[in-house]
Every structure is written in C-alpha cells, then in structure tokens.
Amino acid sequence: MIYRVDVRDSLPAHTGVSDPLGEAIRHQIAETGFEVGAIRTSRIFLIDADATADQMRQATEQLLSDPIVESAEVWDAAKSNQTGSCIEIHLKPGVMDPVAESTEMALRDLGTAVRQVRTGRAYLFEQKLDRSDLKKIAERVLANGVIESVHFQPFMPRQFEAGKPYQLKLQHVELTKLSDEQLQKLSRDGHLFLSLDEMHAIQNYFQQEQREPTDVELETIAQTWSEHCVHKTLKSAVDLEMRDGNGKVLERRHYDNLIRDTIFASTQQLMEKKPGFCLSVFKDNAGIISFDQTHAVCFKVETHNHPSAIEPYGGSATGIGGVIRDILGTGLSAKPIANTDVFCVAPAKPQADSMPKGVLPPKRVLQQIVAGVRDYGNRMGIPTVNGAVYFDENYLANPLVFCGCVGLIPRDKIEKRTHPGDAIVVMGGRTGRDGIHGATFSSAELTDTHADEFSHAVQIGNAITEKKMADVILQARDQNLFHAVTDCGAGGLSSAIGEMGEETGAQVHLDRVPLKYAGLRYDEIWISEAQERMVLAVPQENIEQLLQLAKDENVEATVIGTFGTENAELVLHYGEKIVGRLSMNFLHHGLPKATRKAVVIQNNNEVTTIPSPCTQGEGRGGGSSLAALPPGPVVSLSNGPLPLSSSSAFSVQRSAFNSDPLPTPPPEYKGREIEGWAVSTHLLRALAHPNIASKHWIIRQYDHEVQGGSVIKPLIGPLQIGPSDAAVIRPKLSSQSGIAIACGLTPHISDPYAMAIAAIDEAIRNVVAVGADFDKIAILDNFCWPSVDDEITMGTLVRACEACRDAALAFGIPFISGKDSLHNQFTDKETGKVIRIPNTLLISAMGIVPDVARCVTMDFKQSGAPIYLVSANDPADLKSLASTHRSMAKLIAAGRCATAHDVSDGGWLVTAAEMCIASGLGVSVEAEHIARDDPFAERPGRYIIELSTAAVELGAKIEQAFSPFATAKHLGFVQHRPSLLIMNNKKIVEDMPVSELTTAWRGTLDW
C-alpha cells in the first residue's frame, strides 16, 4: 500500500512566523510580478510499504518529523484542497532522489517493510489563484520541468511506475555505406557530435572489419572522441595568421599541437629548471605538486556548464561531486581537503517574460547552482574556501559553473598502473539513465529545445553515497588493495574502463553492473554518467578483502570484468552475447588529427573591451579591467625562450559601471568643490556594482571550517565581513605549512592575450598577498569559449594559449592541470538570435605557505600605520610584473607587512575602501594622489600594503625594495576614525563613513 506523509512547520504563534520557507517563497514569487498571500509549505513522503496506518504513524513520529516544531499527517487516500490553491512538485520517475533513498534505509532499520519511497514538496496558497497563474509561478520559481512534475491538487498515486526487465536485442547501425550527408545526419541525430572526418575514420575502421558497428561501439567511440574527454581542439594543429586591419598577413605561425606547444611546453621547461616541485602534470585526473617530504597536494577544476543551464541544482552538485572524484582518482587516491567554485551568470532580472524560450531566469540559476555546491560539499565534509562570481548579460543562456577540489596524497601513492588480470571493480552508486550522452552533449551548442532533447543528460547526485565511497577507497589505498583507480565520470564506464584498459584491454560483463531500476539497455549501462561511482583495478588476491571492506561501510562494490585481453581489445558482454568489440589502439589513437586555421586581426593595437568590470573580492577571485596588451614578439620555443614584452606601455582601462563609465578625476582635484566630480559618489557606485559587491550571501552558506584546517577564511576582519584575497588552509594539522588557494578571471577584456595575462596576474597577486612563497606557486587553466568553428574565434583561443605560455615562463610559475569547454553559445531557433559567452579563461592558483603564522590578511590593523600603493612601473612588461610579485612575497615573508590587499576590481580606492570595511578602521588619503593616479583605473601588478610596526621606521627603504621595476607610493595613514578621508592641506575635503561604504558594498546582492 502507498501512504502519503505531509510534514509541516508548526512554530508557536508568538514567533510571528507560521512558515519561514513559505514567506521566503512569497518574496521570490513577488519578484516575478505575482502578489500572493500567505503560503504554507510541507515536505511530502510517498511510501510504498507493507504496514498498517498505525505503524506508519509511529514511523513518522520516530523518523520523519520533529514533534516540537513540526506536525505530520499520514493518509492513504487522495484528498482535495478545499480552500485556496495548491502547487505540488514531485521528481519524475527515474530521477535520483537522495532523500528518498536515505528514508528507505532508515525505515528498514526501524523494521518497516518498505519497497520504495518518493518525495515531493507542497505549497498551499491562502488565496485562490487561476490555474494559468499557478502554472507560471511553478515554472518561474518552484519547478524545473526537466526533472520535476507539477500538480495542482494533492498527488496520491495508486502505484509507482516500475521498469520492466530488459530483454537483450542487439542493435547494429548501418554505417559502412553511408554518404557524407548521411554520416553528418547520423552524427547529429545520434547525439555523437563528431565531425565528418571523424565519421569517415569510423567508417573506414568498420569497413576494414567488414561489418557494421553495434550501437554501443559507436557510442563508445563518440564518448572517447568527444571534446569533453579528449580536448581535440586544443590538441589540434593550428595555422595562425596575424593580419592588419586591411587583411594583410603580417606573420604566420604553426603549432603542431596547440596545447602541447604552448602551455605544456612552458611547464616542461620550468620543470627542467625547478626539478622536484611538479610531481605529476597533465596526465592524471589532477595536477600534483610537492608539499613536504612525505606528502604532495593536487588540484583540479572542472566545468559543468551545459547541465547547469538545464538543471542548475543538479548540474552544479554533480559538478562538485565529479571534481571531488577526480581527486579521489588521482594517483592511488588523494584525500579531498578543500573545494572552490566560480560562477559566471547573467544579472538578475525582475521579470521572466523576456527570457528566451528554454532559458531559466538568471537569479534562479545562481541561487540553485550555489545550493547545489553548498549541499554537496557540506554533506561530504569538505570546506568550500574560495571562488568567484561574475555577471555579464552574455551568460544568460550559458551559465558557467567551475568546480574545483584540492587533495592531499602521500608521495608514494602518486603513480598507478593497471595490470593484466586485475579485476574490474565498480564501487559506489548504482547505474541509471541519468547522464546519458552527458559527455557528447557538452560538445553541442545549446538551443531552445535542449531542455527536452537532453533531459536524460541531467544527473542528480547523492553526496552521502560519495562520502561513504571515499572513506572506503582511502582505507583500501592505505591497505594497498588496488593497482589503479579513476573516476567514473564523463562517459561513464565507457571512459573509465576505456582509459584504464588502454594498454591491457578489458573484458566487461554489463549484465553484472548494479542498476537503480530494471529496464536499462546494455548501451545505456555502458555510457550512463550516473554519479558517485569509481572504477578500480584490483589484484585477484585482494578482491575478497576489498569487497568485505566496502560491505562493512555499507558501500556497494561489484566485480564486472577483468583487465587484459590477447590483442588489447575492449570486449563488452551482455549475458552470453558479445555486444561490442573494439581495438584499444583505434579507440585511443584513431582520432583523425585536425588542422585548424586561426586568424588574429591587429588594428594598430587598438582593441575594444566589453564594458563590464571584473569579479568581486571576498576571497572569490577577481581581476583587472585592462586595455589590450600589445602582442609583442615571442622568441621561438626551440631557442629556450623567455617572452619579450612590447615596448609600448599597458594602457589603463577604466571600469564601466552599468552603462555609465566613471569619469576621470580632473588634475586640479582638491575635493568636492570641483563641480560634477566627487570621490564619494563614484566610490559608492563602484562598491555597489554586482561584480564588486559583497558575496557574503553565498559564502555564508558554505562550511569553510570543516576538517579544522582553515587559517585564512573567505571572510575576515573583526566582524568577519572583509573580502579575503585568498584562502589559506593547513592540509596536515601536525604541520604549520599551508597552501594558499585563489583565482583570477577577466572576461570583460576583449583582447584574449591581455585577458589571459590579467587573469594570471590576478590569481598570482591573490596568493602572494596572503603569504605564499612566490617560487612555489602552480596554476590551472580552464578555457570556456563559444564555438571556435570560425577562424577569428579560433584565433582568440590561440592568443590566450600563447599568453599562458608567455606568462608562465616569465613568472616561473607552471601550469599543472586544465580543462576546456568550447561550445558555450545559445541559438533561439524561433528568432535565430545567437548569444555567445565572452571568451572566458579562469586561472586557479595554489601556492605553498612555509609558515601559516606569517600569513597576512587584507584588513587594516593599527591606527597611525602608513599605507603604500605598490605598482609595477610597466604593466606590459611580464618581467616587471614578476619582479613586483616576488618582492612583495619577500616583504610579507620578512614580516614587513601587517596588511596586504591586491588592487583589482574598481581600482585602488575601492581596494582601500574594502580594507576599511574589513577592519572597521578608517584611512586618510591625500587629494593629490587622486588627481595624479586615477583611483578607479585598473591594471595588473598593484597592491595596497600597511607596514607592520617593525617596518615603519624603514620608510624610504620600503620604497627602495621595489625599485626599479615598481614604485611604492605613500598614500596616507590608517585612522582610528571610521571614515575614508580625502585630505588637502590637512583639511578634510571628503568624508565617507565606513558604515556608508559597508552598506553600499553589502546591499546589492543581499539575497
């Protein structure tokens, strides 16, 4: 019998709030244009069990409700809503429901004979609403039709849908005789997303085999060759032409493999110069650097963009869950110790009517992706310590969701290798239809029909399952129970086993894979990206011990095959039938090598910029709004290069706030008496801009203290509201050594070379500002681009790669890992409008901190202390920037700085204001500095520092510490009076109370 349990809040009348969630929902609905009365909410449990009504009521009291603050009702027949209106939201059949899964386990522990549980949410409106209005409210605020069904009466099914047992029916695909047009149609309609050359290679392979492929063979190749898995664009050969504005070719360059010849090559050169620091780069699930004599640390950042556009909560949750598994699958498994997240979204809109078809409202997208990362990371007990949020209209249909994870691994567990004869063990969650075509879907351009077409690509995660699995894997690692492990992520079993068995081959029995429900076909089992699964290569003699360890922790682990075949083939079985057989050599080395053409047009070094300032502060990334960095000559890599900077200076880019750019202060500025220009007016506007304003509403949802290693938090200062440049954690609580984690992001800069340099420089400044050793910093790249099918856009990607190479070599800082997502654009099929994201490069930085006791933070410390603006003299000169950062790191290490804050979003005056907000102290600045140095201009290589007590007497020596590559300009003094003061001849000409600065900065995004 199916019972329904409704659980509602029942707070006492004196609290004045009958339903806090209902009140919050009412406000969200009002933002979409509907005014509704009071709303009561309830959690719904639909329970199919052999139990009496009394037994179910008893189980409800013991398990499902808290009688002190909640009331529960159990019923076994449908009821109608007599008054008001009702909206109920239920997950569609087959969608992962972690709450239901946990409830089932708990009910069984109570002795209830339960078969299945499903959950939902109910919203009861006090007033009557039209059905059409209820439908709009559900679509805009309450439900996502991709994974949820909406009901306007209480939902009480007579029985749950159940999958039917699958009967094997082997499918072949006619391929060997198809024309080019037919091959292209098969690629698109079959969700393969392969080029014609790639389809030709597959066709030739099966012509040589003298047979047609099975459906699972074709799917396997498409997964393995997808952009998401193999990064074929960045690995392609590129012919680059540099042209002037008239189309004349100025220079030609060729790269045999773009990523290898730029970013990889720079890392290789640096590894030769600094042996022992980089321990594993660009070959495992994460990059690994040395931490101390016994341990290393690893870092990986992934994207989960397309799934998050369709289902933001599930997309972001499985994004963070997937990158955590990347860390678990690095070497012989690393322990996840910290998470990061970066979100690029469109600004919130008050109305949803203007949204293109198939696009979710931006505010809802941001709220849901935050919730997904929050719930997954918090439930796994991993602190989320650093990230960024960036707003731009062109992310409307393609939000970018970057999820990162840092891990700690013993140095003797870095290497792994699959051995012939090892058992293939799949561990963790069961396999379902969720995530079908997830990897190939990432290679597609989004349209207004993708929510329907690719609903099967959406995955819903279960953090508790992954947490238990992680515990088992780390125990098994320490007991030396397996030879290799990897994440069963993009491509599912197909990619995991395919990668692990590249050298050995593999025999896989798909009918042995544990399933969430009956009815899955063999091809669905093989390519499903259902979450919380890892694949291990286990010696035969260790199988029993590993399976028992998993059983003891209530984690499912199953042997589904063996690594090793005579001819290194991938052989797939279902029952007694072979459903797929592929050469591993063809699978991994048969991808045709493409040669791409790229064009860069130089218009007399004049490059326009997208008028939007960069990210925030608050320990959440950021960067500088720069004008174009002139290309400049680059020494050939074969000659052992260092990049040569252009002789022309880096012009300063002023941020544009909204559509009205801030004016340049007049050179005679001496205070408010200058008509039409006042610091206070523009400073408050800058602080309130969404890309600068406080992100505390996000940060406070994350647990950044769990595991006990947090040293510098995302929010700092006496009231813990200040925007930290970077996070610092101690991976080993027995050691004072730490790691600093930060990021840089500057997509508003249209010139790709300048954009990349600015993002790298920002990420480095952030970790230097808290105390990282400049010689022990590593960085990661994450490229998110629109389609690169045209030569101009491909040219921007090449220039960004060249900038990464040049900056890495000049700074002496290696790239150790990366990822790309190259099809981030949306086409509205009804209007033909195409929305392309800005070229976006996220740079993540990780630096070793020798002694966390010597770290500094960005809040002012002592009234009367002098403050200095440190600026690289030539922000176009990479060597000058590197020298500035190195000297700043030495100054901090020597204890000369009480406070340091990098200058990025909004310029140096915004930076000073943030330091006031963080500390509650004020600062005085001379008017002449504002007249001589535009306070709202942004450029790389700048910091504001407060000298420590021990360094005050050094005076000019501090200035000399940065000469000749940078200047240290004395700006003013920290003040006990809580105001930012502009002084002229010892008179106050502008007085901005810190309370006003704080209100402006914290009010914009206080959701």
Side-chain angles (χ1 to χ4, degrees), residues 518-562:
L520 266 69
R521 303 190 309 268
Y522 58 88
D523 59 312
E524 293 176 321
I525 296 170
W526 181 237
I527 68 171
S528 169
E529 296 179 21
Q531 295 293 293
E532 288 84 40
R533 301 176 302 159
M534 302 286 286
V535 175
L536 300 91
V538 182
Q540 293 292 329
E541 63 271 20
N542 294 346
I543 292 175
E544 184 177 346
Q545 187 177 350
L546 178 72
L547 297 182
Q548 185 61 49
L549 176 62
K551 183 179 179 181
D552 292 344
E553 298 286 352
N554 199 22
V555 172
E556 195 162 21
T558 306
V559 177
I560 63 169
T562 306

Side-chain angles (χ1 to χ4, degrees), residues 269-344:
Q269 290 186 44
L270 293 173
M271 289 175 66
E272 293 172 0
K273 292 179 180 179
K274 296 194 301 183
F277 178 61
C278 294
L279 303 179
S280 176
V281 297
F282 298 114
K283 67 177 184 179
D284 206 336
N285 289 327
I288 308 176
I289 62 173
S290 174
F291 179 66
D292 60 20
Q293 294 300 313
T294 59
H295 283 82
V297 284
C298 54
F299 197 3
K300 179 64 174 291
V301 178
E302 284 272 10
T303 57
H304 227 227
N305 304 334
H306 283 21
S308 298
I310 292 178
E311 208 300 284
Y313 180 86
S316 66
T318 54
I320 196 68
V323 80
I324 292 169
R325 292 196 305 274
D326 277 329
I327 296 302
L328 288 169
T330 296
L332 289 172
S333 192
K335 177 187 177 182
I337 57 174
N339 289 337
T340 68
D341 61 349
V342 175
F343 308 134
C344 297

Side-chain angles (χ1 to χ4, degrees), residues 167-201:
Q167 297 295 322
L168 176 62
K169 185 178 180 182
L170 184 60
Q171 298 286 335
H172 287 82
V173 180
E174 293 186 3
L175 174 79
T176 58
K177 298 180 181 179
L178 294 184
S179 66
D180 288 357
E181 182 178 353
Q182 291 170 324
L183 286 172
Q184 290 174 314
K185 185 175 187 300
L186 173 62
S187 177
R188 178 60 184 85
D189 293 350
H191 298 161
L192 306 177
F193 299 109
L194 297 174
S195 70
L196 182 58
D197 285 345
E198 291 161 353
M199 293 298 291
H200 279 156

Side-chain angles (χ1 to χ4, degrees), residues 23 36 51 123 164 219 260 330 393 455 596 655 685 738 770 1005:
E23 185 66 10
V36 299
Y123 305 89
K164 297 180 180 179
E219 293 279 11
R260 185 195 66 197
T330 296
E393 290 284 355
S455 60
R596 308 292 299 266
S655 291
R685 279 182 56 208
V770 296
L1005 299 174

Side-chain angles (χ1 to χ4, degrees), residues 454-725:
F454 287 100
S455 60
H456 55 264
V458 173
Q459 308 143 51
I460 304 298
N462 187 342
I464 304 304
T465 297
E466 185 156 317
K467 169 59 176 170
K468 294 191 298 182
M469 178 184 67
D471 291 345
V472 171
I473 287 176
L474 290 173
Q475 290 180 65
R477 176 201 71 183
D478 294 340
Q479 296 177 32
N480 299 312
L481 295 183
F482 55 87
H483 286 146
V485 60
T486 198
D487 165 33
C488 190
L493 294 170
S494 170
S495 62
I497 297 174
E499 291 171 7
M500 295 177 73
E502 177 181 351
E503 296 181 0
T504 64
Q507 298 266 1
V508 185
H509 296 269
L510 297 175
D511 52 307
R512 300 177 187 175
V513 177
L515 305 179
K516 294 178 182 177
Y517 34 77
L520 266 69
R521 303 190 309 268
Y522 58 88
D523 59 312
E524 293 176 321
I525 296 170
W526 181 237
I527 68 171
S528 169
E529 296 179 21
Q531 295 293 293
E532 288 84 40
R533 301 176 302 159
M534 302 286 286
V535 175
L536 300 91
V538 182
Q540 293 292 329
E541 63 271 20
N542 294 346
I543 292 175
E544 184 177 346
Q545 187 177 350
L546 178 72
L547 297 182
Q548 185 61 49
L549 176 62
K551 183 179 179 181
D552 292 344
E553 298 286 352
N554 199 22
V555 172
E556 195 162 21
T558 306
V559 177
I560 63 169
T562 306
F563 286 109
T565 63
E566 184 176 351
N567 298 314
E569 291 182 315
L570 174 66
V571 184
L572 305 178
H573 304 259
Y574 191 92
E576 300 299 320
K577 188 79 172 178
I578 292 178
V579 296
R581 182 188 292 272
L582 288 169
S583 161
M584 283 291 194
N585 182 62
F586 173 72
L587 189 60
H588 291 285
H589 305 287
L591 177 67
K593 184 177 180 179
T595 298
R596 308 292 299 266
K597 187 172 183 179
V599 173
V600 174
I601 298 177
Q602 297 177 264
N603 294 313
N604 299 321
N605 288 335
E606 293 178 4
V607 182
T608 56
T609 59
I610 299 172
S612 175
C614 190
T615 56
Q616 24 36 280
E618 204 142 319
R620 308 192 58 72
S624 307
S625 301
L626 309 174
L629 181 65
V634 179
V635 179
S636 169
L637 283 173
S638 61
N639 295 329
L642 272 180
L644 302 177
S645 65
S646 170
S647 59
S648 52
F650 217 132
S651 57
V652 176
Q653 166 68 24
R654 172 180 291 284
S655 291
F657 297 94
N658 299 322
S659 59
D660 181 18
L662 299 175
T664 302
E668 70 274 20
Y669 172 80
K670 296 179 181 178
R672 291 181 186 273
E673 68 271 13
I674 300 299
E675 184 176 355
W677 206 92
V679 171
S680 57
T681 302
H682 303 297
L683 179 57
L684 293 174
R685 279 182 56 208
L687 288 169
H689 191 279
N691 281 340
I692 293 177
S694 172
K695 310 304 185 299
H696 62 278
W697 73 273
I698 297 177
I699 294 169
R700 296 212 183 277
Q701 296 182 58
Y702 299 146
D703 185 343
H704 51 263
E705 299 285 1
V706 66
Q707 297 192 22
S710 178
V711 177
I712 293 183
K713 332 289 184 180
L715 296 171
I716 57 175
L719 299 178
Q720 295 187 6
I721 63 173
S724 180
D725 292 301

Side-chain angles (χ1 to χ4, degrees), residues 396-416:
L396 176 64
N398 275 272
L400 303 185
V401 176
F402 301 89
C403 298
C405 189
V406 178
L408 179 70
I409 185 170
R411 293 176 72 115
D412 62 353
K413 301 293 184 183
I414 293 174
E415 298 297 330
K416 62 184 176 186

